[in-house]
């Protein structure tokens, strides 16, 4: 099995090398004239490179006009905050695998640059996400300095990982994760990847210990940058000041609902503008990182107690694992309406109660 996995990864890297060599001819060019002005400013006024660039894809002989308009909704945001934007407009290797393959090519291209010239993070955005409030910088969601190991920030929905939008740190870790995701059908053909095969493959690989054991993977509340629009009779998760709105599923209702939102964004974008300090983000994000720090401290304390034989191994280990799963597990069931922060509070409260009980009995 190890030999098969290594062979599959070698095949992926050979493919990647060819892809990188061909990159100037078809990965950097935008063939759709409506998308040419989305790249924003590639360097800050002081000559430094912005920390974040966006990535998406839209290709085909007849591109969907609603997706074109949705991608164009990023223009003001890119210009305001100097974000570059890479858009794949050619079918590279077929279907779902274009997404991780394109991301992989971009990560490798950044790593090939001298460190001061590299983008630090890539943010993937599906073409059916509309940028609503361009007053919110993407840096808002990045980890504070005391979380240097984080390489992936994303969100979950009902089935688990939702790869409609996520942040990926430019790093060798990202190369390995994406390469293994692409290579999964080769070295694990027994794994059923279902319908969204690229998303399922990424979820499977992210759950491998090597990709989260040191705090590399963290899941945030989905509604921070992945609000869902539901069928019209149900409504939307979007609230005033939120950054993005996403239109997954919805069948034929998608186009009518996207058109309504796009008309708002195109005709009166400033009416949807809410300065960052007036949104829900500052308070919720502070609470999130504080809760994550507390969760990690409790898990470390639990491990110390277990190692010293001071606690009931099974009960504390199970409670600690539940906390850890909320942080990194791609399969945690979080359907719309789930309060991730409340799940964190409940799980950490249970673990803390067990630890305090054992501490008082010793």
């Amino acid at each position: 099995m190890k030999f098969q996995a290594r062979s599959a990864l070698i095949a992926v890297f050979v493919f990647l090398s060819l892809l990188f060599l061909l990159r100037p001819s078809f990965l950097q060019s935008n063939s759709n004239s409506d998308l040419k002005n989305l790249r924003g400013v590639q360097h800050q006024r002081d000559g430094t490179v912005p920390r974040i660039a966006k990535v998406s894809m839209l290709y085909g002989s007849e591109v969907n006009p609603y997706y074109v308009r949705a991608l164009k909704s990023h223009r003001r945001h890119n210009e305001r905050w100097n974000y570059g934007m890479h858009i794949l407009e050619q079918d590279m290797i077929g279907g779902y695998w274009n997404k991780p393959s394109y991301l992989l090519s971009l990560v490798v291209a950044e790593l090939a640059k001298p460190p001061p010239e590299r983008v630090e993070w890539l943010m993937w955005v599906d073409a059916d996400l509309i940028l609503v409030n361009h007053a919110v910088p993407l840096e808002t969601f990045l980890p504070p300095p005391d979380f240097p190991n984080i390489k992936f920030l994303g969100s979950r929905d009902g089935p688990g990982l939702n790869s409609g939008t996520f942040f990926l740190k430019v790093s060798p870790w990202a190369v390995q994760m994406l390469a293994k995701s692409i290579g999964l059908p080769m070295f694990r053909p027994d794994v059923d990847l279902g319908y969204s095969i690229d998303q399922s493959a990424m979820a499977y690989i992210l759950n491998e210990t090597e990709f989260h054991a040191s705090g590399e993977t963290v899941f945030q509340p989905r509604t921070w940058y992945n609000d869902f629009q539901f069928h019209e009779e149900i409504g939307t998760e979007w609230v005033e000041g939120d950054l993005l709105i996403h239109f997954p599923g919805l069948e034929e209702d998608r186009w009518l609902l996207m058109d309504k939102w796009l008309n708002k964004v195109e005709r009166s974008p400033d009416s949807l503008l809410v300065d960052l300090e007036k949104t829900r983000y500052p308070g919720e994000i502070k609470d999130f990182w504080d809760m994550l720090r507390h969760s990690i401290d409790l898990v470390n304390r639990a491990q110390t107690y277990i190692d010293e034989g001071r606690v009931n191994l099974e009960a504390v280990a199970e409670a600690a694992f539940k906390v850890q799963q909320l942080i990194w597990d791609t399969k945690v069931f979080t359907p719309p309406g789930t309060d991730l922060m409340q799940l964190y509070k409940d799980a950490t409260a249970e673990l803390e109660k067990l630890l305090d009980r054992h501490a008082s009995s010793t």
Side-chain angles (χ1 to χ4, degrees):
M1 181 62 71
K2 287 184 178 180
F3 175 77
Q4 289 179 329
R6 187 162 53 248
S7 298
L9 287 176
I10 290 171
V12 170
F13 278 110
V14 169
F15 155 77
L16 176 62
S17 300
L18 293 172
L19 193 65
F20 183 69
L21 290 172
L22 291 172
R23 189 171 182 269
S25 64
F26 68 92
L27 293 184
Q28 286 186 317
S29 62
N30 279 338
S31 59
N32 189 314
S33 60
D34 287 333
L35 302 179
K36 283 189 178 296
N37 64 348
L38 288 179
R39 291 185 175 273
V41 178
Q42 294 293 317
H43 291 79
Q44 309 279 24
R45 289 184 179 87
D46 62 2
T48 60
V49 178
R51 294 183 69 192
I52 305 171
K54 298 178 188 174
V55 187
S56 190
M57 64 182 181
L58 182 63
Y59 56 83
S61 57
E62 296 182 10
V63 296
N64 186 302
Y66 296 104
Y67 292 161
V68 173
R69 292 169 66 193
L71 289 173
K72 288 175 66 178
S73 71
H74 290 264
R75 182 180 59 80
R76 286 173 178 263
H77 193 239
N78 295 351
E79 290 176 349
R80 177 166 182 169
W81 303 105
N82 295 322
Y83 300 135
M85 190 162 188
H86 305 277
I87 303 173
L88 175 65
E89 295 191 70
Q90 303 293 331
D91 186 353
M92 290 163 46
I93 61 172
Y96 290 105
W97 297 115
N98 284 323
K99 181 175 181 175
S101 300
Y102 187 43
L103 275 168
L104 185 52
S105 74
L106 293 172
V107 172
V108 171
E110 289 298 321
L111 289 174
K113 300 175 183 177
E117 297 179 16
R118 295 175 189 166
V119 168
E120 186 177 347
W121 290 84
L122 297 175
M123 182 192 190
W124 177 269
V125 287
D126 277 355
D128 63 341
L129 282 117
I130 297 174
L131 197 297
V132 180
N133 183 14
H134 62 81
V136 176
L138 299 178
E139 287 82 355
T140 302
F141 308 105
L142 296 185
D146 56 329
F147 290 94
N149 288 346
I150 294 177
K151 307 293 191 302
F152 178 93
L153 292 169
S155 62
R156 296 169 290 218
D157 57 16
L161 171 68
N162 183 295
S163 63
T165 180
F166 56 87
F167 292 89
L168 184 65
K169 191 168 187 178
V170 171
S171 60
W173 180 96
V175 173
Q176 295 170 23
M177 187 275 289
L178 290 167
K180 290 195 73 172
S181 298
I182 297 167
L184 185 62
M186 290 184 277
F187 66 86
R188 286 299 307 271
D190 57 305
V191 176
D192 181 7
L193 296 178
Y195 177 69
S196 298
I197 57 177
D198 62 316
Q199 179 172 277
S200 299
M202 183 181 292
Y204 185 93
I205 295 302
L206 284 172
N207 264 20
E208 291 189 343
T209 303
E210 66 180 291
F211 291 107
H212 60 74
S214 299
E216 295 92 343
T217 298
V218 170
F219 285 98
Q220 298 176 312
R222 180 177 51 75
T223 54
W224 283 358
Y225 43 84
N226 198 358
D227 283 326
F228 283 178
Q229 170 67 53
F230 305 110
H231 291 285
E232 195 157 23
E233 63 272 17
I234 301 175
T236 178
E237 294 176 318
W238 186 87
V239 296
E240 186 178 16
D242 283 1
L243 177 69
L244 289 157
I245 185 165
H246 193 186
F247 298 79
L250 299 175
E251 293 79 38
E252 290 305 310
D253 285 352
R254 175 187 290 193
W255 317 124
L256 174 63
L257 292 166
M258 286 188 72
D259 187 56
K260 287 184 176 181
W261 274 96
L262 287 164
N263 287 338
K264 292 179 187 178
V265 170
E266 291 165 351
R267 295 171 184 174
S268 53
D270 290 344
S271 68
L272 298 166
L273 205 62
V274 179
D275 290 338
L276 175 62
E277 61 271 17
K278 296 179 180 179
T279 69
R280 63 195 178 99
Y281 291 130
E284 290 189 12
I285 288 173
K286 180 182 183 303
D287 290 346
F288 175 82
W289 294 114
D290 287 346
M291 178 60 69
L292 194 59
R293 291 183 185 96
H294 184 54
S295 299
I296 293 170
D297 287 345
L298 286 175
V299 169
N300 290 338
R301 180 181 162 197
Q303 189 59 54
T304 299
Y305 281 18
I306 291 170
D307 292 343
E308 295 174 352
R310 296 169 56 186
V311 297
N312 179 296
L313 176 62
E314 186 174 350
V316 171
E318 182 178 347
F321 186 61
K322 285 182 179 178
V323 173
Q324 290 175 299
Q325 282 184 302
L326 289 173
I327 297 172
W328 58 258
D329 195 338
T330 62
K331 299 191 297 293
V332 172
F333 184 71
T334 49
T338 300
D339 186 339
L340 182 61
M341 286 299 293
Q342 190 59 52
L343 293 180
Y344 267 120
K345 290 174 183 176
D346 293 343
T348 53
E350 177 63 23
L351 177 58
E352 193 163 25
K353 181 173 69 174
L354 285 171
L355 293 174
D356 290 345
R357 182 186 302 162
H358 285 284
S360 64
S361 64
T362 56

